[in-house]
Amino acid sequence: MRRTSNPLATVLTERLGCRVPVIQTAMGWVSEPQLVIASSNAGAFGFLGCAVMTPDEVAIKIEMVRVGTIQPFGVNFHSFQPGAEQIVELILANRDRIRAVSFGRGPNARMIGRFRDAGILCIPTVGAVKHAVKMAELGVDMVTVQGGEGGGHTGSVPTTVLLPQILDAVKIPVIAAGGFADGRGLAAALAYGAAGIAMGTRFMLTQESPVHVVSKNVFLKAGTDDIFVTSRLDGVPQRMVRTPLMDRIEQSGRLAMWLRAFEAGLAMKRNTGASWSEMLYSARAMTKHGGMPLRQAIMAATMPTLIRKAVIDGDIRNGVMATGVVGGRIDRIESCQQLIDSIVADATSRISTLCDRS
């Protein structure tokens, strides 16, 4: 139940220990310690994006966040990545500061139970009603609902339709994602009955984000017409900004797609140190879980490397750029503190106006 003295105090702020019901989502190569620290210190709840990290990197970067903020934070991972078991143990060993884990597909009831026994909240991201129901049955604490406006892997149902569907289908707290960037979005989500919002693209375009300045400028210039959904990367719909590589992939045939998968695998091997056997294990696990062909699974397993090339290295010609459609209306780079302060002021004002009308 929301406290009347503070319209932005929800079960999300209460259970995650943050000041504002806003989650900074985990984005591979982007949700690095500096962004998690800045978003958490600003009053949001930050997630460290560990799905693209080795266990050694996870240990180092968890420690960096611990040093950089006194606020609780979250960790994102997936159970198919090399070293997943070690990463789970690292999360559990840092249970005094890690308040939540997020994930897409993967963790089973036993793993979820281990986190819950340790006092760590499980907050998966879902894009369909049936997946939200399944996660609730497995015992998660909350779900983040990403509508079709969201970046990266996404569905076809808009947030304004999917959010109320899932709110009606489950009894656990629901967080709204996909299309949010400001205080009016937060006020709208709370009006729907959500416990808060989760934002990726908006935090990606902040001063503390490690995104390359060249890439930030491309994101800022991209209008909604420049952001589209493709299934050519790994067979699953993903929302991307048009880049030269995306255009080549869109025009690729079957043989060319295998070549892209091999090239992506080589790049991932160089960047992460993972062996071919580890990457094949990860890819085969994804084929068993999601039923996708091996070629597509390899592309999915190596996708973060293609994102890193464009987003972090600034190599727009040879990388891909995931974004939410909301990126088409973001036109400035702010600090995390400025962003959260403006969201709080705007949301509070809009909620007050609505209450005054009643």
Side-chain angles (χ1 to χ4, degrees):
M1 180 177 295
R2 199 165 297 133
R3 299 184 183 91
T4 55
S5 60
N6 179 5
L8 302 186
T10 73
V11 66
L12 187 153
T13 57
E14 179 181 346
R15 299 192 69 185
L16 292 183
C18 51
R19 181 174 60 87
V20 183
V22 173
I23 285 177
Q24 167 253 302
T25 63
M27 298 164 280
W29 312 116
V30 176
S31 298
E32 290 285 306
Q34 66 264 37
L35 181 58
V36 178
I37 291 167
S39 62
S40 298
N41 285 341
F45 186 84
F47 271 99
L48 184 66
C50 296
V52 296
M53 299 179 190
T54 65
D56 288 344
E57 290 172 327
V58 172
I60 292 169
K61 293 183 180 183
I62 286 177
E63 182 60 26
M64 289 173 66
V65 178
R66 290 181 64 106
V67 171
T69 180
I70 62 172
Q71 303 301 322
F73 61 97
V75 169
N76 171 269
F77 75 103
H78 71 70
S79 60
F80 300 136
Q81 71 188 92
E85 294 181 0
Q86 297 99 303
I87 291 171
V88 169
E89 296 305 322
L90 283 167
I91 294 170
L92 293 171
N94 287 274
R95 70 190 70 182
D96 62 316
R97 294 291 305 283
I98 296 175
R99 186 66 56 85
V101 291
S102 67
F103 45 81
R105 300 174 299 178
N108 54 28
R110 185 185 67 82
M111 185 181 290
I112 290 170
R114 289 192 69 195
F115 286 129
R116 294 195 69 182
D117 290 344
I120 297 173
L121 303 178
C122 290
I123 311 176
T125 297
V126 299
V129 175
K130 64 180 180 180
H131 296 149
V133 172
K134 174 71 176 300
M135 288 294 103
E137 291 173 347
L138 288 176
V140 303
D141 300 277
M142 306 181 190
V143 289
T144 297
V145 174
Q146 178 177 304
E149 298 92 330
H153 288 114
T154 192
S156 59
V157 182
T159 303
T160 52
V161 176
L162 184 62
L163 177 59
Q165 282 183 313
I166 292 181
L167 282 164
D168 290 343
V170 300
K171 297 186 182 302
I172 57 178
V174 173
I175 301 154
F180 296 98
D182 52 26
R184 58 185 163 185
L186 174 57
L190 296 179
Y192 270 104
I197 60 173
M199 303 189 304
T201 301
R202 190 64 195 89
F203 277 108
M204 181 174 66
L205 296 176
T206 57
Q207 293 174 9
E208 294 88 354
S209 161
V211 173
H212 196 284
V213 63
V214 169
S215 304
K216 282 183 178 178
N217 287 333
V218 172
F219 278 121
L220 286 178
K221 291 177 182 177
T224 52
D225 291 341
D226 301 310
I227 300 169
F228 75 113
V229 175
T230 179
S231 297
R232 296 287 291 171
L233 289 168
D234 58 12
V236 181
Q238 297 188 63
R239 190 174 294 281
M240 296 280 173
V241 174
R242 292 191 182 279
T243 64
L245 177 59
M246 273 309 315
D247 289 339
R248 295 200 302 273
I249 290 174
E250 285 288 294
Q251 299 167 10
S252 296
R254 182 181 179 86
L255 181 60
M257 289 300 291
W258 269 111
L259 178 60
R260 301 275 177 236
F262 180 70
E263 290 173 344
L266 282 176
M268 183 179 184
K269 191 173 186 300
R270 287 193 299 269
N271 289 329
T272 67
S275 67
W276 281 112
S277 61
E278 288 175 322
M279 290 192 294
L280 283 172
Y281 172 82
S282 176
R284 289 190 183 280
M286 295 178 76
T287 65
K288 292 177 182 178
H289 188 90
M292 65 176 64
L294 180 60
R295 179 188 72 254
Q296 294 174 349
I298 292 174
M299 287 294 287
T302 58
M303 187 56 53
T305 299
L306 295 179
I307 291 175
R308 176 179 179 172
K309 188 175 287 291
V311 174
I312 303 303
D313 299 340
D315 185 358
I316 305 302
R317 293 197 59 81
N318 298 299
V320 298
M321 303 175 67
T323 182
V325 71
V326 73
R329 68 178 183 87
I330 296 173
D331 59 4
R332 64 189 182 281
I333 304 294
E334 300 178 301
S335 70
C336 286
Q337 190 66 63
Q338 290 171 326
L339 173 62
I340 294 301
D341 287 348
S342 67
I343 287 175
V344 169
D346 192 15
T348 302
S349 173
R350 291 176 185 275
I351 292 170
S352 176
T353 299
L354 289 172
C355 291
D356 290 343
R357 290 176 182 172
S358 60

